[in-house]
Every structure is written in structure tokens, then in C-alpha cells.
Amino acid sequence: MAAGQNQRNRKNDPMLTKTGKPRLGPLNLEQLNKLLESSNKAKQKDMIRKAISAREKAVIVT
């Protein structure tokens, strides 16, 4: 559960998964770059960098 709360009183945040990880799917490049700057965890930074590179490849292809 996200942030030590139980399921009964947990407020759903559409930008976080149940475990507290950020959802990167609906974000654009500008939002991903902002999230990368504000992130502290190395694992999250790696996930964000991977999402940014995937979005950049998609822009180049189309």
C-alpha cells in the first residue's frame, strides 16, 4: 500500500500505482523531465529515463 495506509482510508491518486510507484504512461516529455529533476531514488530515475528515451524514439519515427 502506498505511504503506509490501509485500503479503507487510502485516497486513490491516479498518477501513482497501488505500491506508490509513479505512472509514467500518460505523461509527455516535458512532464517526464520535470519528474526526473524532482526524483530522489535511483530506481525511479532509471524508469523515467527509459520512458523519456522511448518517447523520443516515438517522436523521431513519426
Side-chain angles (χ1 to χ4, degrees):
M1 300 284 158
Q5 299 174 341
N6 65 25
Q7 190 173 6
R8 177 184 276 175
N9 65 6
R10 179 174 50 94
K11 301 293 185 199
N12 290 333
D13 184 359
M15 294 308 296
L16 294 178
T17 63
K18 185 176 180 180
T19 58
K21 295 179 183 178
R23 292 188 196 274
L24 304 177
L27 301 178
N28 61 26
L29 282 173
E30 183 179 320
Q31 293 168 327
L32 285 171
N33 286 324
K34 183 178 176 185
L35 187 62
L36 181 63
E37 292 172 3
S38 65
S39 179
N40 295 335
K41 298 181 180 178
K43 267 188 175 180
Q44 285 185 352
K45 285 186 177 187
D46 291 339
M47 284 177 25
I48 297 167
R49 285 188 191 115
K50 184 186 278 188
I52 289 172
S53 67
R55 303 254 188 331
E56 288 174 344
K57 288 179 185 177
V59 169
I60 293 172
V61 171
T62 56

